[in-house]
């Protein structure tokens, strides 16, 4: 009987394969129809203070994982800000940042979304750095009215990097050659399949310098008391402890998440407020330190494992990456 059961299971599996071309196994709780829910994590009163997480590698391209409907930090932040815009009881926001940064575009877009939210709602926003808020993580924090850091936070790493690998010698050893047909001399600039020319190095450096200049100017525009020249001295890519960042005026104070919540309440003129988080159903949100998973698992496509691998390329990054953090 047991033998027949195994055989029947194999037949059913083959039928699924032949009829659908893809096997999908539901694993998590989020589907496209799931909507954000609000949970009170502490406090009471009519008014609300919202905590929004900005975690991990910042990108508008979902990381490759064995499931569909992936969620990026960018679209999650946008979704939460849009929900907060419609709720007039939201009187302030805490951005809880734990990120080494990410792509230039994603970091800049999240920064812009926070700025737009402030313009529409005119409520105070405080950025609270957790373990890490470096490079693009710090860039996003600049959109807040005030920046605070844990006593043990790491920030800074103001700069731009693009990862370029050269594997042409390795491929030559196994008899593989790349012979592109291209419309112009620099169409395959940055290709890992051939050595980089001196002229291409200059072209890439020019692009990096422009993106770096945007980062520096964003710091100067948002950090009162820091001139562009002063920012340039600090923006050599180094990281800073909380104490160093405070001394260099990159942040406003050192404190904990509870302090950030109280600061938002004071800025909004509130004596009491309930602290809320937006989350998908069935996630744990017991207190202010609850972490919203990024991203929640939805389903695995067992026969489509190469999904999402293309498209990242070699992006320009506002990223602090000791080792290969964030990839």
């Amino acid at each position: 009987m047991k033998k027949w059961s195994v055989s029947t299971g194999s037949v059913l599996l083959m039928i699924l394969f032949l009829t659908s071309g893809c096997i999908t196994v539901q694993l998590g709780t989020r589907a496209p129809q799931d909507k954000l829910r609000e949970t009170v994590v502490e406090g009471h009163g009519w008014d609300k203070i919202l905590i929004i997480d900005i975690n991990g590698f910042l990108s508008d391209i979902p990381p490759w994982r064995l499931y569909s409907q992936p969620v990026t930090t960018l679209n999650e932040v946008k979704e939460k800000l849009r929900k907060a815009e419609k709720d007039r009881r939201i009187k302030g926001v805490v951005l809880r940042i734990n990120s080494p940064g990410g792509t230039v575009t994603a970091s800049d877009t999240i920064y812009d979304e926070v700025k737009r939210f402030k313009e529409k709602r005119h409520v105070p926003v405080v950025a609270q750095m957790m373990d890490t808020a470096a490079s693009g993580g710090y860039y996003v924090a600049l959109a807040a009215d005030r920046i605070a850091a844990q006593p043990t936070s790491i920030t800074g790493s103001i700069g731009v990097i693009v990862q370029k690998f050269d594997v042409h010698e390795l491929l030559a050893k196994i008899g593989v050659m790349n012979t592109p047909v291209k419309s112009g001399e620099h169409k395959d600039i940055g290709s890992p399949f051939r050595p980089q020319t001196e002229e291409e190095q200059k072209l890439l450096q020019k692009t990096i310098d422009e993106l770096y200049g945007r980062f520096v100017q964003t710091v100067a525009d948002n950090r009162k008391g820091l001139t562009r020249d002063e920012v340039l001295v600090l923006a050599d890519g180094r990281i800073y402890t909380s104490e160093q960042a405070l001394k260099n005026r990159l942040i406003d104070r050192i404190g904990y998440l509870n302090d950030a919540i109280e600061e938002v309440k004071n800025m909004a003129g509130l004596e009491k407020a309930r602290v809320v988080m937006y989350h998908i159903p069935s996630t744990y949100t017991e207190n202010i330190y609850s972490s919203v998973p990024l991203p929640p698992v939805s389903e695995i496509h067992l026969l489509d494992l190469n999904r999402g691998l293309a498209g990242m390329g070699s992006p320009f990054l506002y990223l602090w990456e000791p080792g290969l953090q964030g990839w």
Side-chain angles (χ1 to χ4, degrees):
M1 186 70 177
K2 184 177 180 181
K3 197 171 187 180
W4 180 87
S5 179
V6 172
S7 177
T8 302
S10 300
V11 172
L12 289 174
L13 188 63
M14 183 60 69
I15 292 173
L16 284 172
F17 171 72
L18 293 174
T19 56
S20 67
C22 180
I23 302 170
T24 298
V25 180
Q26 293 290 335
L27 289 181
T29 57
R30 184 152 206 188
Q33 68 269 20
D34 286 333
K35 300 297 183 181
L36 289 173
R37 295 183 183 176
E38 177 184 293
T39 293
V40 179
V41 292
E42 72 171 32
H44 60 277
W46 176 260
D47 299 314
K48 305 174 187 176
I49 303 298
L50 172 66
I51 296 176
I52 294 181
D53 281 314
I54 299 177
N55 292 335
F57 183 79
L58 308 179
S59 175
D60 57 353
I61 299 176
W64 179 77
R65 286 184 174 90
L66 300 177
Y67 57 84
S68 68
Q69 301 300 333
V71 179
T72 67
T73 304
L74 175 56
N75 60 38
E76 182 173 287
V77 170
K78 174 64 175 179
E79 186 178 359
K80 291 179 178 179
L81 288 175
R82 183 170 53 201
K83 182 177 177 66
E85 282 179 13
K86 300 175 182 178
D87 187 351
R88 293 297 160 179
R89 294 170 63 185
I90 298 291
K91 297 300 174 65
V93 174
V94 175
L95 302 177
R96 183 169 59 174
I97 302 174
N98 195 0
S99 170
T103 69
V104 167
T105 298
S107 303
D108 183 65
T109 304
I110 295 173
Y111 165 89
D112 181 67
E113 289 293 341
V114 176
K115 284 284 192 179
R116 288 174 183 271
F117 170 79
K118 288 169 54 180
E119 291 174 359
K120 291 178 180 178
R121 284 301 318 277
H122 303 287
V123 298
V125 177
V126 171
Q128 176 69 32
M129 299 177 175
M130 303 304 285
D131 286 301
T132 304
S135 205
Y138 180 66
Y139 192 105
V140 171
L142 292 168
D145 298 299
R146 295 179 188 172
I147 303 176
Q150 301 273 127
T152 54
S153 297
I154 296 297
T155 187
S157 188
I158 300 170
V160 189
I161 187 172
V162 60
Q163 290 289 2
K164 182 185 181 301
F165 299 94
D166 188 340
V167 298
H168 80 281
E169 291 185 2
L170 174 63
L171 294 179
K173 289 181 179 181
I174 59 175
V176 177
M177 296 183 63
N178 180 52
T179 55
V181 178
K182 51 189 180 179
S183 59
E185 180 183 356
H186 303 300
K187 181 59 181 169
D188 61 344
I189 189 171
S191 170
F193 304 119
R194 63 175 178 78
Q196 182 172 269
T197 67
E198 184 176 343
E199 184 177 1
E200 287 172 336
Q201 171 67 29
K202 292 179 180 178
L203 290 172
L204 283 174
Q205 189 62 55
K206 182 179 179 181
T207 301
I208 287 174
D209 289 345
E210 290 185 11
L211 296 173
Y212 170 72
R214 182 178 182 85
F215 199 155
V216 169
Q217 190 59 53
T218 301
V219 178
D221 290 343
N222 289 278
R223 298 304 300 162
K224 294 179 181 179
L226 275 181
T227 66
R228 182 181 174 86
D229 288 340
E230 289 173 324
V231 175
L232 284 169
V233 174
L234 301 171
D236 59 1
R238 75 181 71 182
I239 58 173
Y240 297 98
T241 65
S242 300
E243 292 287 351
Q244 293 167 343
L246 182 62
K247 181 179 179 180
N248 287 305
R249 293 170 288 175
L250 293 174
I251 65 175
D252 296 297
R253 64 166 182 78
I254 298 173
Y256 294 92
L257 183 57
N258 280 312
D259 301 318
I261 293 169
E262 289 302 314
E263 186 167 12
V264 171
K265 287 166 62 176
N266 291 335
M267 293 169 68
L270 303 175
E271 292 187 5
K272 60 182 180 180
R274 59 181 66 186
V275 180
V276 302
M277 297 178 67
Y278 295 152
H279 62 96
I280 61 171
S282 302
T283 54
Y284 180 79
T285 50
E286 177 64 25
N287 57 63
I288 62 171
Y289 292 105
S290 299
S291 178
V292 176
L294 270 180
V297 175
S298 176
E299 58 190 34
I300 288 180
H301 286 254
L302 298 180
L303 302 180
D304 194 12
L305 300 184
N306 65 338
R307 187 174 179 273
L309 286 174
M312 179 60 81
S314 298
F316 293 91
L317 305 170
Y318 289 151
L319 179 69
W320 175 51
E321 51 169 358
L324 292 177
Q325 179 175 189
W327 288 95

